[in-house]
Amino acid sequence: MRLLAKYTKKVVSLVLISIATSFALVNGVNAIPLSQGDRLRVLIPEGDLFSGVFEVNLDGKIQVPYLDPISVQGLEINAVKQKIYDALIAQKYFQPKFLQVNVSILQWSAIQVTVSGETFQPGRIIVNSRSAEDRSLQQSVASGDYPPERYLTAALRSAGGVTPNANIKEILLIRNGKEQKIDLTGIFTGEPVEDVPLVAGDRIIVSRLPKPQNQFVRPSQITPPGIRVFLSNLTASSAVKPEGSPFPYGARFSQAVVSANCTGGVITALDRHALLVRVDRITGETSSWDRSIEQIIRDSKNDNDNPFLMPEDTIACYSSTTANVRDVFSTISDVINPLNLLFGIFGGN
């Protein structure tokens, strides 16, 4: 009877572990591959010496007592569970029919990936970063964690979001020399999207299309929710704002002109103009649009006359009767570098 009771207990335990694993799979937890710094809880009911909390080291391995280091980088939880099981059997610590191994995630770490191509801030970024307080709180939880920032869309967002020229139908993910192309157009159309979980060291490349895709210039999971634009109106009472003005991503030149009160003001000269200056943050190249207010408000029907606003754009409104181009660019310089304003106030006497 004792043997039967012990056997029944083991069967129930296995069933519970299986149910927990299935639940995790349904919720996508086990689909996330492991990376350096991830913390795992290993539970072996008949082997307390092998149980514990283990962290994936810089070599992508975990060190379970009495076993050789086990490589787990890039593996999912179920694969790690099988590796530990196989190692314990191979070392003859257990008989196969008596061994139970349960592996659960305790804490997902921050990981470092690189993003290049058509994003506003390409480079090396860290995703899923958490404060020391959050990490400490998570460690006190028995098990379970969800890393919403360890996905492709989060990495693109952390890189400033994709530009209007981004080819979002073929986002390239390179992992261990293998390439995968991901289509993210469903983010804008409402279709299902494969948001790929990331591993430390992944490379993400966003290729460039010949023409901007206007339908994607709006807030989303992979574009900026908002942008900062610097405004100045030399023909009215509005003052320079060194901190810039917020606009939703997708706003156009004409909206900034209206926001800066360029269509009216103290002086109502007919030759009032607006100047948009843009600096490419990757190449450093400067481009500009000089348009009459009348043209911008009434006749602007194309991207060349009324372009979309981009992060850190600078817009100045002026009238030739009160200001010349040199004054305009001087004001733009003040907007971009607020220290010039302070020097003018305190050091100009």
Side-chain angles (χ1 to χ4, degrees):
M1 292 295 293
R2 290 182 180 178
L3 182 61
L4 179 60
K6 184 176 182 180
Y7 177 76
T8 302
K9 181 180 179 181
K10 287 183 178 294
V11 170
V12 171
S13 179
L14 284 171
V15 169
L16 290 175
I17 291 173
S18 177
I19 292 173
T21 301
S22 298
F23 179 80
L25 282 169
V26 168
N27 287 274
V29 176
N30 281 3
I32 302 174
L34 293 172
S35 284
Q36 304 161 4
D38 290 340
R39 306 191 76 197
L40 308 174
R41 184 184 299 279
V42 177
L43 176 61
I44 301 173
E46 302 296 333
D48 291 343
L49 293 177
F50 303 99
S51 300
V53 174
F54 306 101
E55 185 170 309
V56 183
N57 61 27
L58 293 177
D59 294 329
K61 300 177 180 179
I62 57 172
Q63 181 63 71
V64 179
Y66 307 107
L67 296 178
D68 294 333
I70 299 173
S71 181
V72 299
Q73 172 89 357
L75 298 181
E76 297 172 11
I77 293 295
N78 277 346
V80 176
K81 173 182 171 181
Q82 188 63 48
K83 270 199 166 188
I84 295 174
Y85 179 94
D86 293 341
L88 291 169
I89 296 300
Q91 295 294 320
K92 298 182 178 180
Y93 287 116
F94 295 91
Q95 294 294 325
K97 62 181 179 180
F98 295 117
L99 177 59
Q100 304 171 58
V101 177
N102 184 36
V103 179
S104 59
I105 187 69
L106 184 62
Q107 188 177 72
W108 298 101
S109 71
I111 62 172
Q112 186 172 270
V113 300
T114 57
V115 181
S116 61
E118 292 301 305
T119 63
F120 287 106
Q121 296 177 345
R124 189 169 56 180
I125 63 174
I126 295 177
V127 294
N128 201 49
S129 182
R130 298 177 176 178
S131 66
E133 181 180 358
D134 289 341
R135 292 195 301 270
S136 177
L137 179 64
Q138 183 61 39
Q139 289 177 13
S140 65
V141 179
S143 64
D145 190 15
Y146 174 61
E149 300 302 311
R150 284 228 334 215
Y151 285 83
L152 175 61
T153 55
L156 293 174
R157 189 168 58 249
S158 295
V162 299
T163 71
N165 288 85
N167 182 6
I168 64 172
K169 291 185 178 180
E170 295 184 352
I171 305 291
L172 184 63
L173 174 65
I174 302 177
R175 178 179 300 167
N176 298 325
K178 297 181 180 179
E179 298 183 356
Q180 178 184 359
K181 290 184 178 179
I182 300 102
D183 184 352
L184 295 180
T185 53
I187 288 175
F188 297 93
T189 63
E191 299 296 320
V193 172
E194 181 187 9
D195 197 358
V196 181
L198 300 178
V199 175
D202 280 352
R203 290 182 57 202
I204 302 164
I205 301 175
V206 185
S207 60
R208 181 180 179 85
L209 292 173
K211 295 182 180 180
Q213 307 299 298
N214 288 355
Q215 67 272 30
F216 301 142
V217 185
R218 54 190 173 93
S220 74
Q221 286 181 284
I222 59 173
T223 53
I227 58 176
R228 180 178 64 166
V229 175
F230 298 101
L231 302 177
S232 175
N233 187 347
L234 302 185
T235 64
S237 59
S238 61
V240 173
K241 296 180 180 180
E243 74 278 7
S245 300
F247 284 88
Y249 184 61
R252 288 185 178 267
F253 188 14
S254 57
Q255 291 170 270
V257 168
V258 173
S259 179
N261 197 26
C262 297
T263 57
V266 177
I267 301 176
T268 57
L270 295 177
D271 60 349
R272 190 179 296 116
H273 279 237
L275 178 68
L276 185 156
V277 178
R278 176 174 300 162
V279 178
D280 190 302
R281 303 185 69 175
I282 306 302
T283 65
E285 181 180 350
T286 299
S287 55
S288 63
W289 289 258
D290 189 344
R291 303 287 188 272
S292 71
I293 301 299
E294 187 77 11
Q295 178 185 10
I296 295 171
I297 300 302
R298 297 185 183 277
D299 302 325
S300 207
K301 298 180 180 179
N302 58 67
D303 293 342
N304 184 55
D305 290 333
N306 192 20
F308 285 106
L309 298 175
M310 293 293 126
E312 312 300 319
D313 277 354
T314 301
I315 295 172
C317 302
Y318 67 98
S319 172
S320 61
T321 61
T322 59
N324 57 35
V325 174
R326 184 183 63 182
D327 295 330
V328 173
F329 275 97
S330 175
T331 300
I332 290 175
S333 176
D334 288 338
V335 173
I336 295 175
N337 184 6
L339 292 177
N340 291 346
L341 291 175
L342 296 177
F343 179 78
I345 295 173
F346 298 106
N349 295 332

